Every structure is written in C-alpha cells, then in structure tokens.
Amino acid sequence: MQKVYLSNYELDEAKKIYFDKLKLRLQTEIINTWDALGRVTTKPVFAHLSSPHYNSSAMDGIAVKSEKTFGASDRNHIILTEGEDYMVVDTGDPIPREFDCVIMVEDLIKGDDSQVKIYQSAVPWQNIRPLGEDIVENQLIVPSKHKIRPVDIGALIAGGINTVEVFKRPAVGIIPTGTELVEPGSELRVGDIIDFNSRTFTAQVTEWGGIPSRYSIVKDDYKLIKDTVLKANEENDVVLINAGSSAGREDFTSSVISEVGELIVHGVAIKPGKPVMLGIINDKPIIGIPGFPVSAYFVMEEIVKELIYSYQGLEADERKIVNASLTKRCMSSLKYHEFVRVRLGFIGDKYVATPLTRGAGATMSLVNADGVLEINQQTEGIESGTEVKIKLLSAEDKIKNTLVCIGSHDPIIDIAADIMHNRNKKYFLSSSNVGSTGGLMALKTGETHMAPTHLLDMETGEYNVSYLKKYVPDKKICLVKCVNRIQGFIVEKGNPKNITEFEDLLRDDVKFVNRQRGSGTRLLLDYNLNKLNIDPQKINGYYREEFTHLAVAAAVEAGDADAGLGVYSAASLMGLDFIPVCNEEYDLAIPEEYMDSEIVKEFLETIKSEEFKDKLDELGGYDYSNTGTMIKLQELM
C-alpha cells in the first residue's frame, strides 16, 4: 500500500526536534600531531616547551660582547680576536652566556687567520633569537574546537606537542537502494539508472570531515534493505539510506526504520527535499534521503552536513550572502521553503541572479549554480527585478571575472569558454541558453554582457540587425560577427525516413522535435513553413520544445523523434546525419560600454585565435572568414 507523509515540519523545527532527540555523545581520540590536519581539538593546547628553547644565532657570523664593538666606524675599524673576543657561529647555533650579540659575516673584514675587523658597533641582542621568541612554554597554541591547519601542525610540534586529543570523525554508512540502480560502467538497458548519488554523498561526507563507507546497491526488497540497514548501523556512527523515502509502492525505508528503530520525522516543508526521513536506531542517527539528486543535495547540505559537523564539535559554516537583482519571476508555493538554484553575474556595478531549471532531477542545475535563493514558506513568489539575498556557492572573485552570455545556443560558445579560460586562468564564461529573443531582452534589461543571436527577418531575409533596432533601440550595441553556420534537418543515421525537405514533416510517420519559442532556429522554421504555406499544427511534434541544439540531437539519437532543425555540429557530435537547409549568421550583440573591458577583449581574441578555428574545423559546418568583424549598430540606424 502507498503511504502518506507523517509530518510537514518547517526545516528548523524538524532539525531541533531531531537533534534534541539524538543527544549526540561526542567521542575523542589521541593521534599524532603530524596526522592531525583537518581534525578538531577537544580542549586548548598549551606549549610544553619554548621555541627556540635556547638563545640562538639568527645569522651566520660571529658571537661577540657588544661592549667590545663600541666606537667602531668606517674611520675606526676595531680588531677582534677569535677565542678572546668572539666565536664563529652559524644560523641556529646556541649563543654562550658570555656573548650578547651576533655580527653578520657580510659585515666583517677579514684580518689575520684568527682576527677580523668590524666597521660598525653592535647593540645587545642583535641578530640573536632569544629563548621563547616564537613560542613560550605554557603559551596557548590553539584553542578548543579548533580545526587544525598545516601551520598549526608546525607550531604544535615546535612547542613540543607530539600528540593531540581530537574529536573522532564520524563513520558514515551510505546505502543506495533501488531495483533500477546500476553501478557506473554497467551496460545500460532501458529503465536503468546509474547510481551517482551515493558517490556524491561519499565526496560530501569526506569534505565535511566524516569517514564514508559505501555499501553495494540494495534492490527494492524489504528484508534486504532491513538487513543492510542493521549491518550499517552496527558498523557506523551514522547511516544514510538513499531513495525509498517517498510514498511509492516500493518505498520501504520508513517501514524499516520504524520496525528496527524510531522514525522521528518523515516529511519536511522544503522543496526540493520534502520526503526526507530522520530516524534513530540503537541511539544512532539514520537519515532517509530522497532519490532525486537535487532533493538529495539540499538534504545533505541542510541536515547531514550539520550532523557530521556536530560529531566533530563544529558548527557548519555560514555561506556568504550577496544582494542581487532577480532576472526572472519566481513563483513558489506557500506549503514549502524553497531552494532555487541561480546563476550569478556581475553586470555594471551589481549582481544579477538568473534562476536555473528547478526540477528535483536537474543535476546540472547544481553544477552550473553560483548561488541559492531561498524563498520562505510565507511567500508565493518574487517578481523580476526584485533585490534578493543569494547564498554563494561560488567565490566572489570568480563571479566578478565571469563573462555573462545569455542568448542563442551553439556548442562553440562552450568551446570558446574553455579556450578563453586556458588562455587566462582568471576569466570564466557563464552561458544561459534562452534563445536569441531572450538574449536581446537580457541586453535590454542590463542582465548580460553578451547575447549570441541569429534572428532572421522574415520580410527582408536579413539577420539580427532589425531585431536589435526593435528590442534595444536606446542602447549603443556592437554586433560582432561570430560564424556563419549551416542549419538543417538532424536525422537518424542513414536517414531511414528519407527526410529531405520541410514538406516531409507533414507525413504521418515523421515525429518532429522543435526548438523553444523565441529561438532563432524556431524563427527559421516558421519562416520556411510560412513561405511554403504549411500549417505548423499539422506537424507531429511542433509543440515539443527543447532549449539547445544538442538536446534536439539527443532526442533524435534516442529515437524519440525522427527529425529536428539544428546546426551541423550538433548532429556530428551525436553521430547523426544532417540534411542542409541554409546558411545563417550567428553573431554576438555586445553593449559598447563593455567592449573595452579586459574580459570581453579576451573573449574576442579567443574567437579569432587559430586554436578556436581549429576546433571549428573539427566540428564542421562553420565559416569563420568574418569572425571578429565589428559593426556598430548606431552606424546602421
């Protein structure tokens, strides 16, 4: 039978209930100081001895009595005799009590074998490291609950501390469950899902200081899951069980926890991550984590991270928060505290935040996210243009050195981004594929540095210029020629449906996959359909939309569609056939105010480089003879 969620606690309330019930007992251990990197001290650590523990020479030279040097000058050299007035010392040598200073060898004039001349006087304790100069016996070296760094290890050893008491790192058992799961590298069949969540958990636990132990995939069998949970509970301090936390027919986690332990919370008012389970077995925590990767990520970040830190006597670090202007309206539900992944850019003098795909299974939204927008439970949505607070996932320096590119998709933008970063490591490029029209709107609202575009004027057959005049008439825009590229039908290898022209899309046996409204490719399709008087509603798949050329090619490659309109390079990358339709101009619209910025200059140099052109030749379907040519839009108006 399907189950229902037992609770809908707010996140903070759920954590308080759970942690109060857990009553964690922290364990300690004594380890060698040189093995203590990243470990957390249980108590303050005081020096056992001074460093240095004797008065030592800070230079190579001679140890002397300072009074013997008084009166020395360039005009009055004083002669010193070895054994009587001085002794030779090297750096680190102990200084006998009868001497109180060191003169550097560079300041000596060689005399007879046992004599030297000096030309300036010395002062007491000159060039001597006194006992305890660095560390004094009984001095505090590091406080309690301090995470030990490399420099701390050096100071501890110098202070005579060879062992240190630290909190034990928690052992964390990770159990992936699901009949559909397979190990990475397995031969995939329809319905198989590669288990990558457990590997992500392993990396997160390691990063947070825990000791992960991943168990083999457990099929959806109640007894197998129960037996594995009991084994993991015995062998670890914490157990994470992935998937099976929802309310489906084969979601057994809640029943297993309830049978062998206590289920404290099932269901928290967060999105994604709602079906999380917080339980206790034999006084040890077990957490049921949803199977969707984005849901799993936020449960790990918001709950598991705090738990693992708590075992080590630490509090989870607070992420830095910045204010940013929201570029798109974000709707939300009053039922949940929602986590929205965003891309950040620094445009002009402010941050702009663009929401990414919000599905719980959209793993790349985590990879591409620079920050997280939290929408609280009492808010239905946030309007575009609103200033919001963003928790940073990326470093501020990286964001401020990122070229924001919003507009039409082409694989060459990602290639150019990689080449640019390799040319100059401090620069990055962030691309959002919203179509050509979406890119021009981002230019209009000041939310991007650059907008790739390939919009065909249906009346004149001209590319891009008329649309820039229409959408951004009040801005000074430079249109930089990028490439001419071939657009055509992406079809299965061998073109089994013999698709050669737009009329073929009307056939009953042909399934089509389209690009989204506002994209240049969609406009190109509609332009040709209009010329041929073809009713788009009669095309099977006209309303199925994808946001990139690669997504169109993937749909054809998977057999979900017989054809899609796209660029040659996408077909080539997927090993598909390609039926050319036309050449088009793929250009870059850049506000004049950014043309002199170093990062834009670096990008333009990149697309004119031989390395970039070589990559275009490898992909095929591109003409770069005009790449880098610039047209100021004002000159055409």
Side-chain angles (χ1 to χ4, degrees):
M1 293 178 59
Q2 286 192 321
K3 301 169 286 296
V4 295
Y5 299 128
L6 303 179
S7 58
N8 194 44
Y9 293 111
E10 291 187 1
L11 178 60
D12 289 340
E13 182 185 11
K15 288 197 289 187
K16 185 177 188 313
I17 291 170
Y18 187 50
F19 280 83
D20 286 349
K21 190 82 173 178
L22 270 175
K23 295 183 174 60
L24 294 179
R25 294 187 295 275
L26 306 189
Q27 298 181 22
T28 66
E29 61 182 342
I30 295 174
I31 63 173
N32 291 327
T33 301
W34 41 87
D35 295 327
L37 180 64
R39 303 300 296 274
V40 181
T41 57
T42 64
K43 56 190 177 186
V45 183
F46 298 90
H48 287 175
L49 51 83
S50 298
S51 176
H53 63 275
Y54 57 88
N55 296 330
S56 65
S57 176
M59 301 286 176
D60 294 341
I62 61 172
V64 300
K65 294 178 182 178
S66 57
E67 62 188 42
K68 292 273 190 178
T69 71
F70 293 164
S73 69
D74 288 336
R75 294 184 178 181
N76 181 36
H77 292 181
I78 291 177
I79 299 173
L80 300 175
T81 302
E82 185 177 3
E84 180 182 335
D85 301 314
Y86 74 86
M87 66 175 287
V88 177
V89 292
D90 294 322
T91 302
D93 283 350
I95 303 297
R97 291 185 183 277
E98 62 266 28
F99 299 119
D100 67 355
C101 67
V102 171
I103 300 174
M104 293 190 298
V105 68
E106 294 89 343
D107 293 335
L108 301 175
I109 300 172
K110 186 65 176 170
D112 296 337
D113 288 345
S114 61
Q115 291 183 328
V116 294
K117 296 177 183 179
I118 60 170
Y119 52 87
Q120 60 184 14
S121 59
V123 297
W125 297 97
Q126 171 181 299
N127 296 326
I128 290 179
R129 294 189 66 209
L131 179 149
E133 179 189 54
D134 186 15
I135 300 170
V136 179
E137 184 178 347
N138 294 317
Q139 175 185 344
L140 175 69
I141 300 179
V142 292
S144 60
K145 294 189 176 179
H146 175 80
K147 195 171 185 179
I148 295 174
R149 304 165 298 171
V151 291
D152 300 325
I153 291 174
L156 287 165
I157 294 173
I161 308 299
N162 296 323
T163 61
V164 61
E165 183 178 270
V166 295
F167 291 107
K168 274 191 173 181
R169 299 165 61 198
V172 182
I174 299 168
I175 307 172
T177 71
T179 303
E180 72 282 7
L181 294 185
V182 296
E183 296 288 358
S186 301
E187 185 175 341
L188 296 179
R189 299 170 298 178
V190 174
D192 287 344
I193 297 176
I194 299 170
D195 169 42
F196 57 84
N197 273 348
S198 67
R199 310 291 181 175
T200 304
F201 298 169
T202 297
Q204 288 173 303
V205 168
T206 301
E207 184 177 56
W208 300 332
I211 304 172
S213 177
R214 178 188 176 272
Y215 291 78
S216 298
I217 295 168
V218 182
K219 302 301 181 186
D220 289 317
D221 177 281
Y222 188 90
K223 185 176 185 309
L224 287 176
I225 293 173
K226 175 183 170 182
D227 290 346
T228 307
V229 163
L230 289 172
K231 184 175 187 292
N233 175 255
E234 182 180 347
E235 295 173 347
N236 297 276
D237 301 303
V238 179
V239 175
L240 308 179
I241 181 167
N242 186 217
S245 67
S246 192
R249 291 174 301 170
E250 295 182 336
D251 293 327
F252 300 126
T253 303
S254 63
S255 299
V256 168
I257 296 174
S258 297
E259 179 186 342
V260 299
E262 183 180 2
L263 184 59
I264 310 299
V265 172
H266 185 191
V268 177
I270 58 175
K271 183 180 180 181
K274 159 72 177 174
V276 59
M277 282 180 277
L278 309 176
I280 300 174
I281 300 173
N282 297 322
D283 297 325
K284 297 178 182 179
I286 178 168
I287 299 180
I289 301 176
F292 281 122
V294 181
S295 299
Y297 171 82
F298 283 108
V299 170
M300 290 290 289
E301 277 284 330
E302 297 297 323
I303 300 174
V304 178
K305 182 178 183 179
E306 185 173 332
L307 179 63
I308 291 174
Y309 270 56
S310 295
Y311 269 95
Q312 301 168 82
L314 293 172
E315 293 183 2
D317 301 328
E318 288 291 331
R319 293 192 181 276
K320 183 167 184 180
I321 294 175
V322 298
N323 294 324
S325 176
L326 194 63
T327 65
K328 287 195 290 191
R329 186 184 191 194
C330 263
M331 297 305 297
S332 187
S333 166
L334 293 173
K335 293 171 61 179
Y336 303 110
H337 181 102
E338 189 162 0
F339 299 97
V340 180
R341 288 79 69 202
V342 300
R343 265 262 171 84
L344 284 173
F346 196 75
I347 313 293
D349 60 353
K350 68 177 183 179
Y351 286 105
V352 294
T354 301
L356 295 166
T357 304
R358 293 168 76 175
T363 308
M364 285 303 295
S365 69
L366 295 172
V367 174
N368 294 327
D370 296 307
V372 175
L373 164 64
E374 295 189 25
I375 305 178
N376 68 44
Q377 210 169 334
Q378 287 73 45
T379 304
E380 267 192 296
I382 303 176
E383 293 298 326
S384 173
T386 304
E387 187 173 276
V388 294
K389 295 189 179 301
I390 304 294
K391 282 187 178 179
L392 291 184
L393 299 177
S394 298
E396 277 192 279
D397 284 350
K398 177 184 175 183
I399 296 168
K400 289 184 176 181
N401 283 318
T402 294
L403 180 66
V404 179
C405 174
I406 299 177
S408 172
H409 169 260
D410 192 291
I412 66 172
I413 295 296
D414 297 328
I415 291 169
D418 185 63
I419 294 174
M420 180 178 74
H421 181 63
N422 284 326
R423 283 165 56 98
N424 191 324
K425 295 295 183 185
K426 78 175 185 177
Y427 290 137
F428 302 85
L429 182 144
S430 164
S431 63
S432 296
N433 306 316
V434 299
S436 296
T437 305
L440 299 191
M441 295 308 296
L443 279 181
K444 182 177 182 180
T445 54
E447 294 164 359
T448 187
H449 296 118
M450 178 172 72
T453 177
H454 62 112
L455 292 169
L456 175 65
D457 189 317
M458 294 192 183
E459 294 181 2
T460 66
E462 181 184 41
Y463 273 94
N464 300 320
V465 173
S466 65
Y467 289 91
L468 283 165
K469 291 177 181 178
K470 175 181 177 182
Y471 287 109
V472 282
D474 301 325
K475 286 205 171 192
K476 293 182 178 180
I477 301 293
C478 291
L479 192 63
V480 178
K481 308 304 290 182
C482 187
V483 293
N484 282 11
R485 63 184 189 180
I486 304 173
Q487 283 263 27
F489 294 119
I490 298 173
V491 296
E492 292 181 58
K493 196 70 177 173
N495 193 12
K497 296 290 179 73
N498 194 29
I499 297 165
T500 59
E501 53 191 16
F502 287 96
E503 288 86 350
D504 291 327
L505 304 182
L506 293 168
R507 287 168 21 201
D508 291 339
D509 66 334
V510 171
K511 291 182 294 183
F512 185 69
V513 56
N514 208 349
R515 286 292 305 281
Q516 82 278 15
R517 284 170 291 181
S519 68
T521 301
R522 178 70 162 261
L523 283 175
L524 176 64
L525 173 71
D526 291 343
Y527 172 74
N528 281 278
L529 296 181
N530 184 56
K531 276 203 313 182
L532 297 168
N533 293 317
I534 294 175
D535 182 357
Q537 296 188 60
K538 293 182 179 180
I539 296 174
N540 180 13
Y542 179 83
Y543 294 106
R544 178 187 173 178
E545 298 180 345
E546 296 291 350
F547 279 78
T548 67
H549 294 284
L550 288 175
V552 168
V556 175
E557 196 269 339
D560 294 335
D562 299 305
L565 196 62
V567 295
Y568 173 84
S569 58
S572 176
L573 287 168
M574 290 290 186
L576 300 170
D577 276 358
F578 184 80
I579 312 302
V581 168
C582 69
N583 289 315
E584 65 170 12
E585 298 171 28
Y586 183 77
D587 299 331
L588 307 171
I590 306 173
E592 278 190 35
E593 61 188 292
Y594 301 137
M595 290 298 293
D596 287 332
S597 69
E598 291 303 315
I599 192 168
V600 169
K601 287 180 180 177
E602 186 67 46
F603 182 81
L604 296 182
E605 287 301 314
T606 296
I607 64 173
K608 290 188 287 186
S609 70
E610 291 303 315
E611 184 179 0
F612 181 65
K613 292 174 182 177
D614 288 344
K615 290 290 185 183
L616 297 186
D617 288 339
E618 286 179 24
L619 291 172
Y622 295 103
D623 174 4
Y624 46 75
S625 55
N626 291 320
T627 297
T629 302
M630 184 182 71
I631 302 169
K632 290 188 177 181
L633 192 61
Q634 302 302 114
E635 297 172 355
L636 301 176
M637 298 181 73

